């Protein structure tokens, strides 16, 4: 009984084992290799893996990477090991699998490197990469950041169209495209100066219901500041405050920089002061903030104020960096205070900061401005000895300053030496020599130099064509200028400088109406600035069309373009020429009310015209008024006109 019972149980277990065995098929060769690779990879037994490498396939490599997706270091080591084998090469699938793993572990730089190789080196189309990333999305437990990385990689390798196609394809396929991908693409468009396309894509993004973050807002503000629309940038800034988006230091710095670029230093200082209050004490000025303001004051020649600001930097504990010193040194050089600039060089060296190429360039330029050719050459040699590499600007400064100091022959000789040593990479130095020849009214020489460029294989750039167009315009040869412009359009896209040059040429002749038509065309493509308007305003004034000139001022304001000092100075000058002295003074008052300080040009224009047509009392009264408003008198004008009147008034008082 016991035996029969035992036999029946044995039969049962055997039967059960048989049925269970049926559920497990014999492991395939790939399964065996896979298990062997995983076991030995964990122990980093590379010798064993080397022996088994002939059995590895692309699908097996992807499978191993997926297996180790929670151990990114091992996955990366295996991926690199496979890439170094002669008998193996990564498939698109294994690459995308590895990218997914890296992104999940926030190793974005490594992921971008792999994506860059796929797009740029291997030449795989972005949509093809996207297809494989979508296929590996679930198996790698990926997140939307993997698609953000693809968009970023496209922009890094210059595949602008590809980046946009990826965003569009993801939306159509129902995958979530984060605001970070949009921001990256918008930033890329701004770097390419594609402002029109930027606004088109931005509006598209908003229409899809995306909520902007601070980075999106910063891009919008930057785009507005970049095109001189400071008032709109400020309006945008207040809108983000109302939405509850907290601005960061970048937000403030961009508007401050925009204000400095337009010369509105009062606004720049106000924003700098209000940073803490407007950000609920979350943001304070950094070195970039101070560098922008210092640069702004240096550009308008108010270097004395910069010294106070520099003291504030020290009190605030913000470290002055090389850029801070470079800006200060350049400001003092431009003011003609080379001694102070050199003292700052010594100070930065004492603080352990080494002067860079930019600082050397400024000092060399300052020495040339003082006519000290020997010291400038000596400093250039010192730069070479200290292994501070000269750049194209160094060579350009040397070339330009030699021309400016009457050593054109030496400049051409220096240029030839640079060519012989293959130190010239582009048209930059050629453009300087061409500009010198044009300013010397030697257009024939300019054309010869252009021919030399072609012979040596240098491609003329926008500045080259612009220099030639400017030369013809100054000569009054608008027909030739337009011919060069037409030829240029085939090879290069004209920029605003080119259009402003043509506008200037048209305004100086009897073609002011043609210039107005050009302005209308530029407005349609959103390519105008204050210089464009000022040029046409000047054209209207010299043609006696004062009403049209003032009408353009109103048009400027309506278009969000700042009416600047140059605009006011043009109008004040022509009001004086037409005998409208009181209106000219009222216009200066309006200038002050709008927070714009008159400069020495305003001073000279008004004082000179008042001296010719008004009483000495009115001249002195005007002088005193402008000085009280902070206007620095032009030394020559003051010495020739105001000083004698003050002496005369003093003598009358003493009598």
């Amino acid at each position: 009984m016991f035996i029969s019972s035992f036999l029946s149980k044995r039969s049962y277990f055997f039967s059960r084992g048989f049925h269970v065995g049926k559920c497990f098929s014999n492991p395939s060769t790939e399964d065996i290799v896979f298990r062997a690779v995983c076991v030995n990879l964990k122990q980093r037994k590379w010798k064993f893996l080397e022996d088994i490498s002939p059995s590895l396939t692309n699908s097996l490599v992807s499978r191993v990477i997926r297996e180790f997706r929670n151990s990114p270091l091992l996955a990366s080591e295996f991926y690199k090991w496979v890439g170094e084998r002669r008998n193996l090469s990564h498939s698109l699938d294994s690459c995308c699998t590895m990218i997914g793993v890296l992104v999940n572990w926030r190793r974005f730089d490594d992921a971008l490197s792999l994506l860059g190789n796929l797009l740029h080196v291997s030449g795989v189309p972005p949509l093809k990469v996207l297809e494989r990333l979508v296929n590996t999305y679930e198996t790698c437990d990926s997140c939307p950041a993997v698609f953000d990385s693809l968009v970023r990689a496209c922009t890094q390798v210059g595949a602008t169209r590809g980046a946009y196609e990826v965003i569009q394809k993801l939306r159509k396929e129902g995958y979530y495209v984060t605001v970070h991908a949009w921001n990256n693409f918008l930033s890329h468009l701004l770097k390419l100066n594609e402002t029109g396309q930027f606004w088109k894509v931005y509006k598209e993004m908003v229409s899809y219901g995306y909520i902007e973050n601070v980075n999106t807002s910063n891009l919008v503000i930057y785009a507005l500041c970049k095109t001189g629309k400071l008032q709109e940038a400020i309006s945008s800034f207040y809108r983000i405050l109302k939405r509850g988006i907290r601005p960061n230091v970048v937000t403030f710095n961009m508007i401050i920089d925009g204000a400095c670029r337009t010369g509105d230093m009062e606004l720049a200082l106000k924003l700098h002061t209000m940073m803490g209050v407007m950000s609920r004490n979350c943001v304070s000025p950094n070195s970039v903030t101070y560098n922008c303001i210092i640069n702004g004051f240096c550009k308008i020649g108010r270097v004395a104020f910069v010294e106070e600001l520099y003291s504030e930097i020290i009190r605030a504990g913000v470290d002055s960096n090389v850029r801070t010193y470079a800006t200060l040194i350049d400001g003092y050089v431009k003011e003609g205070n080379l001694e102070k600039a050199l003292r700052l060089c010594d100070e930065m060296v004492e603080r352990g900061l080494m002067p860079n190429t930019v600082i050397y360039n400024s000092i060399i330029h300052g020495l040339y401005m003082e006519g000290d050719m020997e010291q400038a050459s000596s400093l250039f040699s010192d730069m070479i000895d200290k292994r501070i590499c000269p750049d194209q600007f160094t060579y350009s400064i040397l070339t330009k300053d030699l021309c400016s100091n009457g050593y054109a022959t030496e400049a051409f000789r220096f240029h030839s030496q640079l060519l012989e040593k293959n130190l010239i990479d582009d048209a930059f130095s050629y453009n300087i020599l061409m500009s010198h020849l044009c300013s010397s009214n030697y257009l024939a020489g300019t054309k010869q130099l252009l021919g030399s460029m072609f012979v040596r294989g240098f491609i003329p750039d926008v500045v080259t064509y612009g220099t030639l167009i400017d030369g013809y315009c100054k000569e009054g040869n608008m027909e030739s200028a337009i011919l060069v412009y037409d030829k240029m359009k085939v090879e290069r896209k004209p920029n605003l400088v080119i259009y402003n040059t043509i506008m200037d040429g048209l305004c100086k002749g009897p073609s002011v109406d043609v210039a107005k038509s050009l302005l209308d065309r530029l407005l349609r493509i959103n390519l105008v600035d204050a210089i464009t308007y000022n040029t046409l305003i000047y054209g209207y004034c010299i043609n006696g069309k004062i009403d049209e000139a003032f009408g353009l001022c109103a048009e400027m304001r309506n278009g969000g373009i700042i009416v600047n000092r140059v605009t006011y100075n043009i109008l004040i000058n022509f009001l004086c020429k037409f005998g409208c002295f009181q209106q000219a003074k009222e216009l200066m008052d309006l200038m002050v009310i709008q927070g714009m300080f008159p400069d020495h040009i305003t001073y000279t224009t008004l004082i000179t015209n008042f001296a010719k047509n008004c009483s000495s009392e009115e001249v002195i009264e005007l002088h005193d008024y402008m000085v009280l408003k902070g206007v620095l008198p032009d030394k020559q004008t003051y010495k020739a006109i105001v000083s004698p009147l003050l002496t005369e008034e003093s003598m009358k008082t003493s009598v």
Side-chain angles (χ1 to χ4, degrees):
M1 194 69 188
F2 172 77
I3 293 173
S4 62
S5 173
F6 173 77
L7 288 173
S8 64
K9 284 181 181 179
R10 184 174 147 185
S11 174
Y12 167 75
F13 284 122
F14 178 79
S15 173
R16 185 167 176 261
F18 176 77
H19 287 295
V20 170
K22 274 186 164 182
C23 298
F24 292 92
S25 59
N26 290 330
S28 66
T29 304
E30 183 175 298
D31 288 336
I32 294 168
V33 175
F34 169 71
R35 288 168 189 165
V37 169
C38 290
V39 168
N40 286 278
L41 180 57
K42 283 179 183 177
Q43 299 173 30
R44 289 182 169 84
K45 292 183 177 179
W46 302 108
K47 180 66 175 67
F48 176 83
L49 293 175
E50 189 72 48
D51 294 337
I52 208 173
S53 64
S55 302
L56 288 174
T57 61
N58 287 327
S59 61
L60 193 55
V61 170
S62 298
R63 189 176 168 188
V64 172
I65 294 169
R66 284 195 298 273
E67 181 69 17
F68 287 91
R69 60 184 176 275
N70 292 323
S71 303
L73 187 60
L74 271 176
S76 296
E77 287 181 16
F78 177 70
Y79 182 86
K80 184 181 178 183
W81 177 82
V82 170
E84 291 170 349
R85 307 276 72 74
R86 289 183 180 179
N87 59 325
L88 288 171
S89 61
H90 283 296
S91 65
L92 182 57
D93 189 71
S94 64
C95 286
C96 289
T97 303
M98 190 68 236
I99 289 162
V101 171
L102 291 169
V103 169
N104 279 356
W105 285 89
R106 305 185 66 80
R107 290 176 57 175
F108 296 115
D109 288 342
D110 293 333
L112 287 170
S113 177
L114 290 183
L115 283 164
N117 282 332
L118 282 176
L119 297 168
H120 187 61
V121 180
S122 302
V124 182
L127 288 179
K128 187 71 176 173
V129 177
L130 175 63
E131 182 186 331
R132 300 312 303 160
L133 286 175
V134 168
N135 289 344
T136 58
Y137 189 81
E138 290 183 5
T139 55
C140 291
D141 297 328
S142 291
C143 59
V146 75
F147 303 131
D148 295 350
S149 296
L150 177 57
V151 173
R152 182 177 291 277
C154 287
T155 58
Q156 284 183 351
V157 302
T160 307
R161 184 176 176 182
Y164 186 66
E165 286 175 345
V166 166
I167 291 173
Q168 292 300 314
K169 183 73 173 175
L170 283 167
R171 286 200 68 263
K172 287 177 184 175
E173 297 294 327
Y175 285 88
Y176 180 62
V177 186
T178 71
V179 72
H180 306 298
W182 287 97
N183 285 347
N184 182 263
F185 185 61
L186 289 168
S187 175
H188 175 66
L189 292 174
L190 287 178
K191 285 175 185 174
L192 295 175
N193 288 320
E194 295 287 349
T195 312
Q197 187 67 13
F198 168 86
W199 290 115
K200 182 182 175 184
V201 174
Y202 169 72
K203 288 174 184 175
E204 183 183 347
M205 173 190 140
V206 173
S207 72
Y208 293 144
Y210 281 87
I211 298 172
E212 299 176 41
N213 60 16
V214 67
N215 293 328
T216 321
S217 302
N218 285 348
L219 289 169
V220 169
I221 289 169
Y222 177 70
L224 292 167
C225 289
K226 191 181 178 76
T227 51
K229 296 178 179 177
L230 185 60
Q231 294 302 322
E232 289 183 36
I234 294 167
S235 298
S236 181
F237 175 71
Y238 281 113
R239 276 199 301 273
I240 74 168
L241 288 175
K242 286 180 181 177
R243 286 183 196 162
I245 299 173
R246 189 169 291 177
N248 56 24
V249 71
V250 176
T251 319
F252 285 99
N253 286 346
M254 283 191 299
I255 301 181
I256 287 170
D257 185 55
C260 291
R261 286 176 186 276
T262 58
D264 194 345
M265 299 311 299
E266 186 178 354
L267 173 62
L269 287 174
K270 186 183 289 185
L271 282 168
H272 154 258
T273 307
M274 297 293 291
M275 254 191 186
V277 176
M278 297 178 83
S279 66
R280 298 175 187 173
N281 294 320
C282 291
V283 176
S284 57
N286 61 9
S287 60
V288 176
T289 317
Y290 286 110
N291 288 345
C292 288
I293 298 173
I294 288 169
N295 191 40
F297 276 108
C298 286
K299 277 185 177 177
I300 62 172
R302 295 183 64 186
V303 185
F305 182 82
V306 169
E307 290 186 13
E308 297 176 28
L309 196 62
Y310 184 58
S311 300
E312 184 183 325
I313 294 174
I314 296 168
R315 287 195 303 272
V318 177
D319 286 334
S320 303
N321 53 27
V322 173
R323 187 172 178 182
T324 313
Y325 278 104
T327 307
L328 283 166
I329 288 166
D330 189 57
Y332 281 116
V333 167
K334 285 177 179 172
E335 191 189 45
N337 193 343
L338 190 58
E339 186 181 344
K340 180 69 175 176
L342 290 169
R343 279 207 301 271
L344 279 172
C345 282
D346 293 336
E347 181 185 313
M348 70 178 292
V349 171
E350 286 171 8
R351 290 191 55 211
L353 298 171
M354 283 301 296
N356 60 8
T357 307
V358 175
I359 292 172
Y360 269 96
N361 289 349
S362 293
I363 300 293
I364 289 170
H365 179 55
L367 290 167
Y368 271 115
M369 284 171 67
E370 289 192 352
D372 195 342
M373 313 290 286
E374 187 178 341
Q375 283 295 325
S377 300
S378 176
L379 192 61
F380 178 64
S381 300
D382 180 63
M383 186 179 182
I384 303 296
D385 292 340
K386 288 181 178 173
R387 297 186 179 182
I388 297 171
C389 295
D391 58 12
Q392 294 299 314
F393 288 103
T394 316
Y395 301 134
S396 302
I397 287 166
L398 290 166
T399 306
K400 186 176 182 179
D401 287 333
L402 283 169
C403 290
S404 301
N405 283 277
Y407 295 91
T409 306
E410 285 78 0
F412 276 90
R413 190 181 298 125
F414 177 64
H415 178 74
S416 299
Q417 289 171 357
L418 294 175
L419 285 171
E420 288 170 11
K421 294 177 181 177
N422 294 319
L423 293 173
I424 294 178
D425 299 327
D426 52 28
F428 208 90
S429 294
Y430 276 101
N431 293 339
I432 291 168
L433 294 172
M434 287 178 68
S435 178
H436 173 73
L437 291 171
C438 281
S439 62
S440 303
N441 297 318
Y442 188 35
L443 272 174
T446 306
K447 287 188 277 187
Q448 286 177 1
L449 200 57
L450 182 64
S452 171
M453 280 184 70
F454 283 115
V455 169
R456 288 185 174 270
F458 288 96
I459 300 171
D461 58 17
V462 175
V463 178
T464 315
Y465 286 111
T467 302
L468 201 56
I469 290 169
D470 186 49
Y472 280 124
C473 287
K474 284 176 178 173
E475 196 182 57
N477 189 349
M478 289 306 298
E479 187 178 345
S480 295
I482 298 299
L483 284 172
V484 175
Y485 166 75
D486 289 337
K487 182 182 178 182
M488 174 194 174
K489 281 198 301 183
V490 178
E491 301 171 10
R492 302 273 178 177
K493 184 179 179 181
N495 60 16
L496 187 54
V497 175
I498 301 290
Y499 286 117
N500 285 343
T501 301
I502 293 171
M503 176 84 73
D504 185 56
L506 292 169
C507 287
K508 284 177 179 174
S511 309
V512 69
D513 293 330
V514 179
K516 179 63 172 74
S517 300
L518 178 59
L519 173 66
D520 294 337
R521 180 184 166 191
L522 293 175
L523 284 168
R524 285 195 294 272
I525 59 174
N526 196 29
L527 193 65
V528 293
D529 63 0
I531 296 172
T532 320
Y533 275 102
N534 288 340
T535 303
L536 188 54
I537 287 169
Y538 180 81
Y540 275 137
C541 286
I542 60 176
N543 282 278
K545 298 182 177 183
I546 297 292
D547 289 340
E548 286 87 342
F550 275 93
L552 274 180
C553 282
E555 191 178 310
M556 279 178 79
R557 289 194 188 92
N558 294 335
I561 295 174
I562 302 293
V563 177
N564 57 23
R565 283 186 193 81
V566 177
T567 319
Y568 281 107
N569 286 341
I570 290 168
L571 294 170
I572 287 169
N573 181 42
F574 280 95
L575 283 172
C576 287
K577 282 191 175 181
F578 286 109
C580 305
F581 306 112
Q582 190 56 40
Q583 288 90 331
K585 186 175 179 299
E586 287 172 4
L587 192 59
M588 187 198 68
D589 291 336
L590 179 63
M591 189 177 177
V592 173
I593 290 167
Q594 293 186 351
M596 204 167 296
F597 293 102
D599 58 10
H600 68 277
I601 296 173
T602 323
Y603 175 90
T604 302
T605 303
L606 284 167
I607 291 291
T608 304
N609 283 282
F610 266 63
K612 290 177 182 176
N613 301 280
C614 303
S615 66
S616 58
E617 289 81 5
E618 288 176 294
V619 175
I620 294 169
E621 184 186 344
L622 179 63
H623 161 76
D624 292 343
Y625 173 79
M626 284 196 284
V627 170
L628 287 171
K629 293 296 180 184
V631 183
L632 294 174
D634 178 84
K635 290 179 182 178
Q636 290 182 337
T637 309
Y638 179 83
K639 190 175 180 180
I641 299 173
V642 178
S643 186
L645 292 176
L646 290 172
T647 307
E648 182 184 323
E649 189 68 24
S650 177
M651 288 174 66
K652 285 180 182 178
T653 307
S654 63
V655 171

